[in-house]
Amino acid sequence: MTNRCHRWDFRTQAPRQATIYPDGCRDLLIMTDPNGRQALQLTDWDLRPRKTLLAAGTSITGYRLRPGTTIRPETMQECIASGGRLEELWPETTSDFGDLVSALAAPGGTVASVARSAGVTPRSLQRWFRAHDYPPPVFWQLLGRARRAALALRNGDTLAGIASDAGYSDQPHMTRAFRYWFGLTPARIARDPALMAEFRQPALGIWTGEQISIR
């Protein structure tokens, strides 16, 4: 069975402001403040970059949910009651939309082609996503394209070549997409190893065991 979550742990030694980039995932967070108090939070879909401020001494155990995976409220409560062992509770979760999301984010994926494969109209597909509080199909298509291009920066290809392989009409089109989704230019991401490492974390288009290529 495909892994439906990726666990990560983080602790701040000093106050820190972090930028969260859209990755097509929601994270279940178990946050422990400096006084030992715990809180449970399910992050929302990130549609644009956002900043968050963490106090010194904050500890976070996070479970990044595979794109297209949902989790029941009762499972969230059981997770914190069990000390954060979400892996043991997966039978209580449901996985919806995973195949549709993957198809939309894949190279060449379009709303029309995915709707056709699902045997519905594009409008019906949009209504389906909206009814389940998911971002619209085009969100997954465009974010998937931008993330594929960001991942390709590590190969050392020219920006024009990466833009063409990822399906952008030209390099300026790709740069505009990067500014929209990440608030950064491709060149800025390419020269920052920490940013490149962040974009290689399991998320839309590069989930563990389901990596896709723009080639």
Side-chain angles (χ1 to χ4, degrees), residues 1-8 23-28 42-43 45 62-71 86 90 93-103 134 140 201-212:
M1 178 183 294
T2 300
N3 292 332
R4 286 186 277 176
C5 72
H6 166 71
R7 175 171 172 160
W8 54 272
D23 60 9
C25 297
R26 300 179 79 179
D27 289 65
L28 180 63
L42 179 63
T43 64
W45 307 106
Y63 290 93
R64 180 166 299 164
L65 306 182
R66 177 192 172 203
T69 296
T70 59
I71 185 167
L86 182 62
W90 274 119
T93 64
T94 59
S95 182
D96 300 320
F97 295 97
D99 291 341
L100 292 174
V101 164
S102 295
Y134 267 60
W140 306 97
Q201 293 297 311
L204 184 66
I206 194 172
W207 195 254
T208 304
E210 299 177 355
Q211 287 82 356
I212 57 178

Side-chain angles (χ1 to χ4, degrees), residues 41-205:
Q41 177 185 353
L42 179 63
T43 64
D44 204 350
W45 307 106
D46 286 310
L47 307 181
R48 299 290 297 274
R50 64 179 172 88
K51 296 185 181 297
T52 184
L53 182 63
L54 299 173
T58 299
S59 296
I60 304 175
T61 294
Y63 290 93
R64 180 166 299 164
L65 306 182
R66 177 192 172 203
T69 296
T70 59
I71 185 167
R72 297 170 181 159
E74 57 267 31
T75 302
M76 294 172 56
Q77 296 303 321
E78 290 175 14
C79 180
I80 195 168
S82 69
R85 296 189 297 274
L86 182 62
E87 299 96 329
E88 301 175 7
L89 302 174
W90 274 119
E92 298 299 321
T93 64
T94 59
S95 182
D96 300 320
F97 295 97
D99 291 341
L100 292 174
V101 164
S102 295
L104 287 163
T110 66
V111 177
S113 65
V114 172
R116 186 165 54 251
S117 297
V120 298
T121 66
R123 187 175 297 247
S124 294
L125 187 68
Q126 292 165 359
R127 285 198 296 263
W128 195 14
F129 273 69
R130 185 169 58 249
H132 289 81
D133 295 323
Y134 267 60
V138 70
F139 165 86
W140 306 97
Q141 177 192 355
L142 298 182
L143 177 58
R145 179 189 297 173
R147 286 184 53 81
R148 288 199 309 276
L151 289 166
L153 292 171
R154 62 185 171 180
N155 298 331
D157 295 341
T158 66
L159 294 182
I162 292 172
S164 177
D165 287 343
Y168 292 104
S169 58
D170 52 32
Q171 181 180 331
H173 183 196
M174 181 176 73
T175 298
R176 288 193 296 272
F178 270 54
R179 288 188 181 279
Y180 177 87
W181 291 110
F182 312 129
L184 301 166
T185 64
R188 170 69 177 82
I189 295 175
R191 65 174 179 261
D192 189 325
L195 277 174
M196 288 302 304
E198 181 164 345
F199 278 98
R200 289 196 296 270
Q201 293 297 311
L204 184 66

